[in-house]
Amino acid sequence: MQLGRIVRDYDRARREAVAFLSSRIELDEQPGEALVWTDGPTLADLANHLSEELGFVTIEQRNYLGAPYVLNPNRRSTTITVTRNLSLLTLVATVLRCWGANGPLSTETPELASLLVSVAEQGGNYPIPDAMAHALLATTTELQAEPRSIIEAIQRAGYERLWAIGFSAVQ
């Protein structure tokens, strides 16, 4: 681990980020400098790897679930711009996990984007919310990959009903 070391070499940091991400998921080939992928490693996973291998690198996503997100902000380090997209299934499971951790959500929940990012960045496998997400997607047509649309769909379906389905699926 490169404690206290600040990385200024953008090309080296980007090569290491690409190698790390490519070993775990398929990067989406898109024009521009942002590294783009769907689901897979969290931004924290990437930042931890880079800090262990090289030192501190700033990781920036300009729109992460509706808000900008920056890890290891340091104006002296190089900045890697990323776009971690969430599939519809992962986004629904993230909203359900956030609902379970923070109580009922609404389209007016303050700091909704920050709450969702904090849950999305935890990563991991959660069988009950995953089963709940599958159940919601099986019964809801035309669900948009947008948190407010998902919250409204959960309200219509009933969180408790979805939880019962999810719980019975892992029994």
Side-chain angles (χ1 to χ4, degrees):
M1 184 166 174
Q2 303 291 328
L3 289 176
R5 183 181 169 107
I6 295 174
V7 179
R8 293 188 178 96
D9 184 346
Y10 171 80
D11 292 331
R12 183 174 177 218
R14 183 179 169 82
R15 279 192 308 274
E16 186 63 37
V18 167
F20 171 76
L21 292 169
S22 296
S23 71
R24 286 156 179 76
I25 46 94
E26 185 175 325
L27 283 171
D28 298 339
E29 296 294 328
Q30 295 190 2
E33 72 177 59
L35 299 176
V36 181
W37 72 97
T38 300
D39 297 335
T42 66
L43 276 65
D45 293 336
L46 176 59
N48 289 338
H49 172 78
L50 292 175
S51 68
E52 287 178 6
E53 294 297 317
L54 304 175
F56 289 110
V57 174
T58 300
I59 306 293
E60 175 184 72
Q61 179 154 339
R62 294 191 179 111
N63 182 355
Y64 195 16
L65 300 172
Y69 187 69
V70 179
L71 276 172
N72 302 333
N74 184 318
R75 67 178 194 265
R76 295 184 309 158
S77 71
T78 193
T79 298
I80 302 291
T81 303
V82 301
T83 300
R84 178 182 182 233
N85 298 310
L86 300 181
S87 66
L88 182 58
L89 177 65
T90 301
L91 183 56
V92 171
T94 298
V95 172
L96 287 162
R97 287 175 48 215
C98 189
W99 191 305
N102 297 290
L105 300 176
S106 77
T107 57
E108 304 302 318
T109 299
E111 302 295 323
L112 179 60
S114 296
L115 289 172
L116 292 171
V117 166
S118 70
V119 170
E121 279 298 295
Q122 292 172 8
N125 293 319
Y126 298 86
I128 292 176
D130 289 349
M132 293 167 69
H134 282 288
L136 183 64
L137 290 172
T139 61
T140 306
T141 59
E142 310 219 5
L143 187 61
Q144 297 173 4
E146 189 271 321
R148 296 190 189 288
S149 172
I150 295 167
I151 289 168
E152 290 168 354
I154 294 168
Q155 290 170 336
R156 285 190 304 274
Y159 179 86
E160 290 76 13
R161 183 181 147 284
L162 292 170
W163 191 90
I165 292 169
F167 185 76
S168 66
V170 297
Q171 286 291 327

